[in-house]
Amino acid sequence: MSWKVNKWIKYLEGYCQGKNQIQDEYVRKVASNLGLEQPLDIKFEWQKQITQQFESKDSHGVIILTGTAGDGKTKLCRDIVKQIEGELFDEDDWNSKSFFRSNEKTIVKDFSELSSENTSIIINELIDVLRNGFPNKPILIAVNDGILVDEIDSFISSQNDLDLIKKARQLKEIIEDKINLGFSSCSQQELIKLVNLSKLNAKDNFSLIIDEILNHSGWESCDSCEGKKSNSCPIYQKYSLLRSKPHIKENLSNIILLLQLNNEHFTIRELLNLATNTILASTPKAKYLKATKKENNYQIFTCNRIKRLADRDGLNYESSIEVGFWGMNLGPHKMHNARPYSEINKLNFGELSTNYWDNLLKCKESRDIEIPLDDFNELFDSKKSAESGIDPELWGAIVRRSRMQLYCYQNNDTRSYELQKFSSFTYFKSNVYQNLVDSDDCDDVEVISLIVLALNRVFHGRYISEDTGKDRLYVPEKDQGSITPISIFHGDDVRDRDIIINKVKGDFELTGSRIEPVIEFYIDRDVKLKLTLTVELFDFLYKVAKGFPPNTTNPRLYKKLLIFRSKLASQISKNSRASGKRIDTYTINSGEFRSSALKVNHG
């Protein structure tokens, strides 16, 4: 049996080569050239849901697809056009055009590529929908955020017809609201459906991409290859590991979830790059990340490159899964500056040292898994690198990599989340995120009490006892009790427990939409303020509630919350609930953080 070249693996290489090569037209061309009848054609649930809008005359409507480059707008448009045209669909014709318009349909592949004449035609069609009160055909427009609004502005400035201008402004307001807020209260807003692909659940998308890659029939070509038989192919080793250990995919997906809940967005293009690099990554390029002296100048492995390697010993620990997921094969510069790896590495996985993780590294008998770097176990038997006779930089790099591997391979271990800088993520995921998966709001008393306590400590600038601040949020008056270490007097309170955690919802919800928690503070029955609850902010509040001084935990978030306190104080003053009081307020002036006093008059 000899080494073979698998065309499926060669096809996957294209997703690792950069943004241009991952574009829909390119990867389909590569698949065709390789003779692959089944390229990676992932059917996301949200794509099926949008496509169904064009299946019959009863579902005709306007759908505007927004999002950033790489979110999948072009592929979705292609799938819809192919569905409508059936056997008449011409791939080359589709790739050469950005605009399809007839009495039966209008499809705009990329709004930014339209001529000024076609731009006006499309805007007029949208205005006609508002004028008629219904669409007479399906209209699909793919556009990056903001471009459509700018073009409508230009359209308005070029018109003299007052009725046309009025309808164009109405259209603009509907689209702006739905881009910025996710919903609109304007008249006829239900006629214009806007889908922001940047609001999709990247965790679920990543899991689906991994599954589609692993379950593809292309791997069957490895059956007749020496690499599989001798178990010496690093690509097939990682493929087999991901197939047999599904919790590894779940652990990696949770890193995407963690970043997503901190308002980070990953495009489909970036997730494709991440998934394929995880499987194809070669040995680390940076010298200090190498566990051996083996040299490899390639960022990814291919069938031919592995075949040419004279010595394959050690590849099982050099090219393990975490090398590709954290982008170690790309070198330190791309690891920390190129998306999506730059965002993943901001979590500082493996940098935090804990007794629990150090003990797992040093004591193999205390865990039920083996990690590839167990071959270097003598490094973990000593607490200091000097004792092992190994270069300190190399020893530190191996320990960091080993912590990453333990995170990847540990099963059902919630403490694995403590390996990154947001140590309360497990609590947030189980008590906030999971509640919002099944419900529109989270009314967990323990979570609300924790947030109220932390905010009271932040707002007062000093420690407040847990029992005092458990049930109400208080906005302190100016100079009240500032010397007392534990507050015994509060200013006006923001109603008893009228603080809830909701998820942001749009008016056209897609299966697989991401969950975005937001805290709502009710000043009165119909008056409320909102504060986005990211993982970073929750981690700050969690630490303050557990005893960390608010002004030493994270100065940036501390200032952000004091500014929010100002908004609360101003809103309370408008409702005359703090009549006659002086309340400290905070602003950012010319980049400087400044405090001032708000005088609230009667009436």
Side-chain angles (χ1 to χ4, degrees):
M1 187 176 288
S2 60
W3 286 82
K4 305 292 184 182
V5 174
N6 188 335
K7 291 182 178 181
W8 166 242
I9 293 176
K10 189 171 182 61
Y11 170 77
L12 292 179
E13 294 169 27
Y15 289 108
C16 296
Q17 301 303 317
K19 291 185 176 180
N20 291 333
Q21 286 86 349
I22 305 179
Q23 290 178 353
D24 184 60
E25 295 92 336
Y26 178 85
V27 294
R28 291 185 181 279
K29 182 179 178 180
V30 169
S32 177
N33 292 339
L34 289 172
L36 289 176
E37 295 181 359
Q38 291 182 302
L40 189 62
D41 191 16
I42 304 169
K43 299 296 184 184
F44 298 100
E45 286 300 319
W46 49 269
Q47 287 182 319
K48 298 177 186 176
Q49 191 175 344
I50 295 173
T51 304
Q52 287 172 359
Q53 297 290 314
F54 291 81
E55 286 183 343
S56 69
K57 293 182 179 180
D58 295 334
S59 62
H60 285 174
V62 176
I63 295 181
I64 298 175
L65 288 177
T66 67
T68 54
D71 275 325
K73 300 186 296 295
T74 300
K75 180 183 183 300
L76 180 54
C77 287
R78 173 197 176 278
D79 290 346
I80 291 174
V81 172
K82 185 177 181 180
Q83 171 188 289
I84 293 172
E85 297 194 339
E87 294 181 357
L88 298 177
F89 178 73
D90 188 320
E91 183 92 36
D92 294 333
D93 189 45
W94 160 253
N95 288 334
S96 65
K97 295 180 179 179
S98 296
F99 181 51
F100 290 80
R101 179 173 179 265
S102 68
N103 292 330
E104 289 75 36
K105 66 179 181 296
T106 294
I107 308 286
V108 179
K109 174 184 170 185
D110 188 342
F111 191 85
S112 63
E113 294 181 0
L114 294 181
S115 65
S116 57
E117 178 184 356
N118 285 337
T119 296
S120 296
I121 290 174
I122 293 300
I123 294 175
N124 272 303
E125 280 201 348
L126 295 177
I127 291 173
D128 284 342
V129 171
L130 298 181
R131 277 176 167 168
N132 299 332
F134 62 88
N136 56 16
K137 62 178 178 178
I139 300 174
L140 177 67
I141 301 171
V143 58
N144 288 347
D145 293 345
I147 293 178
L148 182 56
V149 173
D150 291 341
E151 290 296 340
I152 295 175
D153 270 333
S154 300
F155 178 86
I156 291 172
S157 63
S158 66
Q159 300 300 316
N160 296 317
D161 186 328
L162 294 181
D163 180 63
L164 189 63
I165 291 174
K166 180 181 178 181
K167 282 298 180 183
R169 285 176 176 166
Q170 179 185 347
L171 175 66
K172 176 191 172 186
E173 187 175 356
I174 291 172
I175 293 172
E176 278 187 319
D177 283 350
K178 293 192 176 188
I179 288 176
N180 297 323
L181 304 176
F183 65 92
S184 176
S185 301
C186 295
S187 173
Q188 297 184 301
Q189 60 81 21
E190 70 280 358
L191 297 174
I192 309 293
K193 296 177 180 178
L194 186 139
V195 180
N196 189 343
L197 298 184
S198 297
K199 299 296 184 180
L200 294 172
N201 191 325
K203 175 188 184 296
D204 290 348
N205 287 341
F206 180 74
S207 295
L208 182 57
I209 288 170
I210 289 286
D211 286 341
E212 288 293 322
I213 291 175
L214 296 179
N215 296 327
H216 196 276
S217 59
W219 293 101
E220 295 173 2
S221 297
C222 293
D223 292 344
S224 59
C225 181
E226 171 65 24
K228 177 182 177 180
K229 180 183 178 182
S230 62
N231 195 31
S232 58
C233 174
I235 298 175
Y236 200 84
Q237 286 172 349
K238 285 182 280 190
Y239 157 75
S240 300
L241 188 61
L242 287 168
R243 281 292 300 268
S244 61
K245 305 289 184 182
H247 69 271
I248 298 177
K249 179 194 69 178
E250 181 64 19
N251 288 349
L252 298 181
S253 297
N254 276 327
I255 297 178
I256 302 298
L257 174 63
L258 170 62
L259 290 162
Q260 176 177 291
L261 288 171
N262 211 35
N263 278 348
E264 187 57 53
H265 169 58
F266 293 95
T267 66
I268 299 297
R269 188 176 296 172
E270 289 171 338
L271 295 177
L272 283 165
N273 179 288
L274 181 62
T276 50
N277 196 66
T278 299
I279 296 174
L280 300 181
S282 67
T283 56
K285 294 178 72 64
K287 182 179 179 181
Y288 69 89
L289 287 175
K290 285 183 178 290
T292 70
K293 295 181 179 180
K294 297 182 186 297
E295 295 296 332
N296 184 0
N297 295 323
Y298 302 111
Q299 292 184 348
I300 61 171
F301 281 127
T302 67
C303 296
N304 279 323
R305 289 169 186 169
I306 298 171
K307 179 181 178 180
R308 288 196 299 265
L309 287 175
D311 182 8
R312 302 184 188 92
D313 292 339
L315 288 182
N316 62 322
Y317 53 78
E318 282 284 27
S319 59
S320 50
I321 285 172
E322 85 287 350
V323 169
F325 187 82
W326 273 273
M328 295 180 188
N329 60 310
L330 307 175
H333 179 76
K334 286 188 176 180
M335 273 182 68
H336 298 288
N337 296 283
R339 290 183 57 90
Y341 311 97
S342 57
E343 306 312 307
I344 294 173
N345 281 287
K346 286 178 182 177
L347 294 175
N348 299 321
F349 261 90
E351 297 291 355
L352 305 182
S353 177
T354 64
N355 290 334
Y356 170 69
W357 282 97
D358 287 344
N359 286 335
L360 275 180
L361 288 174
K362 288 181 282 189
C363 306
K364 287 196 290 186
E365 66 276 4
S366 65
R367 48 186 160 89
D368 58 0
I369 64 166
E370 291 186 7
I371 60 174
L373 287 180
D374 277 342
D375 289 354
F376 293 85
N377 197 58
E378 70 273 9
L379 296 178
F380 309 138
D381 289 335
S382 59
K383 293 183 179 179
K384 296 181 180 180
S385 58
E387 298 175 15
S388 65
I390 301 295
D391 177 79
E393 192 172 45
L394 172 60
W395 183 84
I398 292 176
V399 170
R400 179 172 181 263
R401 273 194 61 186
S402 297
R403 290 194 181 117
M404 288 178 174
Q405 289 178 328
L406 280 171
Y407 171 82
C408 287
Y409 305 143
Q410 287 286 91
N411 194 7
N412 299 322
D413 184 358
T414 57
R415 281 182 288 186
S416 60
Y417 294 118
E418 297 173 8
L419 199 58
Q420 40 76 29
K421 64 181 179 181
F422 300 128
S423 58
S424 63
F425 175 58
T426 306
Y427 183 90
F428 182 90
K429 183 172 180 285
S430 60
N431 292 67
V432 177
Y433 176 79
Q434 291 298 339
N435 283 338
L436 295 178
V437 168
D438 303 317
S439 175
D440 290 342
D441 57 72
C442 169
D443 54 3
D444 188 299
V445 173
E446 181 181 346
V447 173
I448 300 297
S449 296
L450 180 150
I451 291 173
V452 168
L453 174 62
L455 287 175
N456 274 327
R457 290 177 175 177
V458 171
F459 286 3
H460 286 260
R462 59 189 180 280
Y463 183 80
I464 296 174
S465 66
E466 186 172 349
D467 292 337
T468 304
K470 193 175 183 67
D471 297 326
R472 284 182 170 86
L473 178 65
Y474 297 91
V475 179
E477 299 166 15
K478 183 174 174 60
D479 297 330
Q480 61 169 50
S482 58
I483 300 176
T484 322
I486 298 178
S487 177
I488 58 175
F489 175 76
H490 297 282
D492 292 84
D493 65 285
V494 179
R495 303 178 50 145
D496 185 12
R497 286 203 185 281
D498 273 2
I499 299 173
I500 59 175
I501 301 173
N502 281 341
K503 61 183 176 185
V504 178
K505 294 184 67 178
D507 61 356
F508 184 54
E509 286 296 302
L510 284 177
T511 301
S513 293
R514 66 192 292 177
I515 292 174
E516 297 177 282
V518 60
I519 314 175
E520 295 188 351
F521 301 81
Y522 280 83
I523 309 300
D524 211 334
R525 178 174 296 179
D526 301 318
V527 180
K528 61 185 177 182
L529 289 180
K530 296 181 179 181
L531 182 65
T532 300
L533 185 60
T534 62
V535 173
E536 181 185 33
L537 179 60
F538 183 84
D539 197 62
F540 172 84
L541 294 172
Y542 185 89
K543 289 176 180 177
V544 171
K546 298 302 180 184
F548 285 72
N551 59 344
T552 60
T553 305
N554 187 320
R556 177 175 59 82
L557 292 175
Y558 182 47
K559 293 175 181 179
K560 175 182 179 179
L561 290 174
L562 290 180
I563 292 173
F564 181 76
R565 188 191 111 178
S566 300
K567 295 180 180 179
L568 274 175
S570 299
Q571 191 63 60
I572 289 173
S573 72
K574 292 178 182 178
N575 286 35
S576 301
R577 295 184 60 199
S579 180
K581 306 294 186 181
R582 289 176 63 86
I583 299 174
D584 285 329
T585 62
Y586 300 88
T587 57
I588 296 289
N589 245 336
S590 302
E592 293 292 325
F593 181 72
R594 298 181 181 179
S595 63
S596 57
L598 171 70
K599 177 66 176 178
V600 183
N601 297 317
H602 292 282

